[in-house]
């Protein structure tokens, strides 16, 4: 009998390095976008001077997906993809380190709690899930958002974490370790926790690509999503998983259809599309959030890249969205509408989106503890 979480399972994808969201979800209906980006702008859906495969994939007549993100379009058509544009934090330091730390802690400044927003969610929603796999971090170390009193399992792959060798020898070693860690001291507690993780992981059969399973990209991100899907299907009590996709700091030679950012978008789109296809049976109890610490400058620089900006974007994948759509108030890209030195303004605080997910999808009403000293404005995107 599998262990079922009380609410949705949550997967948080962090695009580290500040993704250029204006070239991911393109405001093709705004002329100023093309004035600011004469070289980097993504052609309009009806631009006959551009090849069809290079044009923006229209979503609603004003916004569209970069063509490399077109694997996400079927998810949009299913009503399972929502986008919140001009979304982010109000920190304007343009510092990756500071912005990521504050966003993952879910606070406005350094004086808030050191724990992460997911860590506080887990601590305030402990309904007796005994699994050592309540929260997992894909990678070497847990993401800052997971910091808190709830233990987090970090793993690069399930197979790397498993005990190997002769089955009898493995059982003998597990018994010996269980005896060694039978005391009441902190080390014994940590040892038993590790053994619990090992025991749980032994039950998980990794997803093998075949005709029934979609092909994930052959990358750390693709392999990480495949690991998460295996853990979800094993029903071992997973509540939250965090995974990163690094490398979005595109100051130089960002690329339009080929190059650094298009390669990252390929990884993101193919990974999310494969994960969604495999998890379709779980779509009504699975929420995926894609976020980045801030966006890029609205205008391209002389190195055919973009500098640190302000307003970003969040993607939401869920079978429980009220409707597909590009949500949030669009501030515009004219000079008097830009923020600071020429950035997209923030009109939706990222905490409003995360708070609604916590309340409606994760069934955690303790928003004042998850996001302290913040008054949530619920955007009403989810059922």
């Amino acid at each position: 009998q599998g262990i079922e979480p009380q609410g949705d399972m949550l997967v948080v994808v962090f695009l580290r390095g500040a993704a250029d969201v204006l070239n991911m979800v393109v405001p093709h209906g705004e002329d100023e976008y093309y004035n600011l980006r004469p070289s980097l702008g993504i052609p309009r859906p009806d631009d006959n001077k551009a090849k069809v495969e290079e044009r923006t994939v229209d979503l609603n007549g004003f916004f569209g997906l970069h063509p490399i993100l077109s694997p996400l379009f079927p998810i949009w058509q299913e009503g399972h993809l929502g986008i919140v544009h001009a979304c982010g934090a109000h920190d304007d330091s343009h510092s990756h380190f500071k912005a990521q730390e504050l966003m993952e802690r879910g606070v406005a400044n350094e004086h808030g709690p050191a724990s992460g927003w997911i860590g506080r969610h887990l601590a305030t929603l402990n309904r007796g899930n005994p699994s050592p796999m309540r929260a997992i971090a894909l990678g070497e170390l847990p993401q800052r958002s997971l910091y808190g009193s709830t233990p987090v399992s970090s793993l690069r792959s399930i197979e790397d974490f498993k005990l190997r060798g002769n089955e009898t020898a493995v059982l003998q070693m597990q018994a010996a370790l269980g005896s060694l860690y039978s005391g009441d001291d902190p080390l014994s507690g940590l040892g038993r926790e590790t053994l619990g993780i090992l025991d749980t992981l032994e039950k998980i059969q990794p997803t093998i690509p075949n005709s029934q399973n979609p092909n994930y990209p052959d990358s750390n991100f693709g392999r990480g999503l495949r690991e998460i899907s295996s853990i979800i299907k094993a029903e071992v009590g997973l509540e939250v998983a965090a995974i990163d996709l690094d490398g979005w700091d595109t100051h130089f030679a960002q690329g339009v259809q080929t190059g650094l950012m298009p390669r990252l978008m390929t990884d993101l789109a193919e990974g999310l599309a494969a994960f969604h296809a495999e998890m379709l049976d779980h779509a009504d109890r699975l929420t995926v959030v894609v976020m980045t610490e801030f966006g890029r400058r609205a205008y391209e620089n002389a190195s055919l890249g973009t500098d640190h900006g302000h307003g970003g974007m969040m993607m939401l994948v869920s079978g429980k969205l009220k409707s597909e759509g590009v949500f949030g108030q669009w501030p515009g890209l004219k000079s008097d509408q830009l923020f600071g030195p020429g950035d997209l303004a923030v009109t939706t605080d990222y905490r409003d989106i995360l708070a609604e997910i916590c309340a409606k999808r994760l069934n955690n009403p303790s928003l004042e503890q998850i996001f302290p000293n913040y008054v949530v404005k619920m955007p009403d995107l989810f059922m």
Side-chain angles (χ1 to χ4, degrees), residues 81-380:
L81 174 63
I83 295 160
V84 188
H85 224 317
C87 178
H90 293 285
D91 168 65
D92 58 357
S93 66
H94 292 121
S95 161
H96 296 294
F97 177 79
K98 181 181 178 184
Q100 288 180 23
E101 176 171 332
L102 294 181
M103 184 172 278
E104 291 192 281
R105 287 167 56 199
V107 296
N109 56 58
E110 294 90 337
H111 303 298
S115 54
W117 72 270
I118 301 175
R120 295 192 295 276
H121 153 66
L122 291 167
T124 54
L125 192 73
N126 189 353
R127 293 180 175 166
N129 180 354
S131 173
M133 302 290 287
R134 279 188 77 198
I136 61 167
L138 270 294
E140 299 285 345
L141 296 169
Q143 287 78 357
R144 185 66 187 262
S145 56
L146 292 165
Y147 282 26
S149 58
T150 301
V152 176
S153 302
S154 294
L155 63 152
R156 287 179 298 180
S157 83
I158 295 168
E159 289 303 303
D160 286 350
F161 215 106
K162 286 184 176 182
L163 294 173
R164 298 180 185 277
N166 178 280
E167 185 176 350
T168 303
V170 167
L171 290 172
Q172 288 174 341
M173 185 170 72
Q174 286 177 316
L177 289 172
S179 176
L180 178 64
Y181 294 131
S182 61
D184 296 327
D185 57 289
L187 180 61
S188 292
L190 185 62
R192 286 193 297 274
E193 188 178 297
T194 302
L195 283 172
I197 295 169
L198 288 168
D199 184 54
T200 301
L201 288 173
E202 290 291 339
K203 301 171 185 173
I204 298 172
Q205 297 300 315
T207 298
I208 307 299
N210 58 34
S211 57
Q212 279 75 48
N213 290 317
N215 289 320
Y216 291 84
D218 184 18
S219 64
N220 287 337
F221 182 66
R223 287 186 290 272
L225 288 176
R226 179 181 284 143
E227 301 288 349
I228 293 170
S229 72
S230 298
I231 294 169
I232 289 174
K233 289 193 290 188
E235 297 185 350
V236 292
L238 177 71
E239 294 183 30
V240 180
I243 184 171
D244 297 339
L245 182 54
D246 299 333
W248 298 85
D249 198 13
T250 51
H251 288 280
F252 311 99
Q254 177 172 305
V256 180
Q257 307 293 339
T258 61
L260 173 59
M261 185 170 166
R263 285 196 298 273
L264 288 166
M265 288 192 289
T266 299
D267 208 3
L268 177 67
E270 290 181 355
L272 288 179
F275 183 73
H276 180 262
E278 188 169 9
M279 292 287 100
L280 206 51
D281 290 346
H282 298 75
D284 286 352
R285 55 190 189 92
L286 173 65
T287 299
V288 180
V289 179
V290 181
M291 55 198 299
T292 190
E293 66 260 37
F294 48 75
R296 314 294 297 183
R297 192 67 35 89
Y299 55 85
E300 64 186 55
N301 63 28
S303 302
L304 294 181
T306 49
D307 297 320
H308 295 179
H310 189 52
M313 175 267 293
M314 295 175 78
M315 287 184 171
L316 311 168
V317 182
S318 167
K320 289 295 186 177
L321 284 167
K322 288 191 171 179
S323 66
E324 87 288 343
V326 181
F327 305 107
Q329 177 188 345
W330 179 245
L333 295 176
K334 293 186 171 64
S335 58
D336 61 344
Q337 297 170 322
L338 294 174
F339 176 84
D343 302 338
L344 180 68
V346 170
T347 58
T348 301
D349 192 296
Y350 74 101
R351 290 171 291 185
D352 292 336
I353 308 300
L354 298 179
E356 182 176 353
I357 291 169
C358 288
K360 289 188 178 179
R361 301 308 316 150
L362 308 185
N363 294 331
N364 190 342
S366 305
L367 301 183
E368 69 287 347
Q369 292 174 265
I370 302 170
F371 300 106
N373 303 313
Y374 181 69
V375 179
V376 172
K377 296 173 284 295
M378 204 75 80
D380 198 28

